């Protein structure tokens, strides 16, 4: 009886550890991303379910205060302008703890979006509950999702391109290549790249 109890407890610990590890790692290619409902800079709440005609999404974890994220702002805006009408809008999510980074407060996000003329939603991950589900670790960190019969399937994870310092010197446009492939019904050529940026502040 004692041995049976010990075996049962060991199985519980193993299962608990396994679930925790999968959750801590976030999404991988082929996983189905759950929807969210987060506050936008315009005072509304935004979720993927709001986009009835979307074929998918370009989810970008980004912020005001990271130099890498700032360097990519115009390129994120360009992605939305290029792909929103084709069914792949950008949704930007600010994942940082604003107690640690006051420059990423909602008021600061509103000011930055106005100054840069963002045409995409800029949402706050209040409570920092969403970015761990994705497994995002950097700003910026990109997840491209495709709407399928199973849900929003993760098709690409990583960087926007291969040169954060100089947009004119980019030779690999990972995010664009992924969306173009999906729009053409093809496999994403490079499904995972290393996101370059600032660590998310907890």
């Amino acid at each position: 009886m004692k041995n049976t109890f010990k075996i049962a407890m060991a199985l519980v610990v193993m299962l608990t550890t396994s679930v925790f590890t999968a959750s801590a790692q976030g999404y991988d290619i082929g996983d189905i991303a759950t929807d969210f409902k987060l506050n936008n800079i315009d005072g509304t709440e935004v979720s993927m379910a709001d986009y009835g005609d979307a074929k998918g999404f370009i989810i970008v974890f980004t912020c005001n205060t990271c130099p890498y994220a700032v360097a990519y702002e115009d390129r994120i805006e360009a992605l939305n302008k290029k792909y929103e009408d084709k069914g792949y809008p950008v949704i930007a999510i600010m994942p940082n703890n604003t107690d640690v980074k006051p420059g990423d407060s909602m008021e600061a996000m509103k000011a930055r979006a106005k100054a840069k003329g963002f045409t995409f939603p800029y949402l706050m991950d209040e409570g920092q509950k969403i970015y761990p589900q994705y497994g995002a670790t950097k700003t910026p960190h990109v997840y491209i999702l495709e709407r399928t019969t199973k849900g929003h399937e993760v098709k690409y994870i990583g960087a926007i391109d291969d040169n954060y310092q100089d947009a004119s010197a980019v030779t690999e446009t990972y995010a664009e290549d992924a969306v173009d492939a999906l729009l053409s019904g093809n496999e994403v050529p490079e499904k995972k790249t290393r996101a370059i940026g600032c660590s998310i502040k907890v």
Side-chain angles (χ1 to χ4, degrees), residues 14-147:
M14 288 174 61
L15 287 170
T16 303
T17 303
S18 175
V19 168
F20 177 78
T21 302
S23 176
Q25 290 174 343
Y27 296 136
D28 202 348
I29 301 300
D31 286 346
I32 301 299
T34 55
D35 204 350
F36 45 75
K37 185 177 282 290
L38 298 173
N39 290 324
N40 191 16
I41 50 174
D42 65 359
T44 63
E45 289 186 324
V46 172
S47 68
M48 291 190 284
D50 298 331
Y51 294 75
D53 297 331
K55 298 173 183 174
F57 296 93
I58 304 171
I59 306 293
V60 185
F61 291 90
T62 187
C63 67
N64 289 0
T65 55
C66 169
Y68 297 89
V70 171
Y72 271 113
E73 284 175 333
D74 291 341
R75 280 175 268 183
I76 296 169
E77 175 63 24
L79 283 172
N80 191 56
K81 286 182 175 173
K82 182 173 181 178
Y83 292 111
E84 182 180 26
D85 289 344
K86 296 179 180 179
Y88 277 84
V90 167
I91 297 179
I93 301 175
M94 200 299 291
N96 285 338
N97 181 342
T98 56
D99 290 335
V100 178
K101 284 289 183 182
D104 287 323
S105 69
M106 180 58 85
E107 289 306 309
M109 289 168 59
K110 291 177 183 177
R112 189 65 184 170
K114 183 177 181 181
K116 295 297 296 183
F118 290 166
T119 57
F120 49 82
Y122 191 18
L123 314 180
M124 174 171 282
D125 185 6
E126 196 167 355
Q128 298 186 297
K129 296 176 181 175
I130 302 302
Y131 88 80
Q133 293 181 25
Y134 278 73
T137 58
K138 304 290 185 183
T139 52
H141 205 152
V142 178
Y143 292 74
I144 294 176
L145 315 178
E146 181 183 38
R147 177 172 282 167

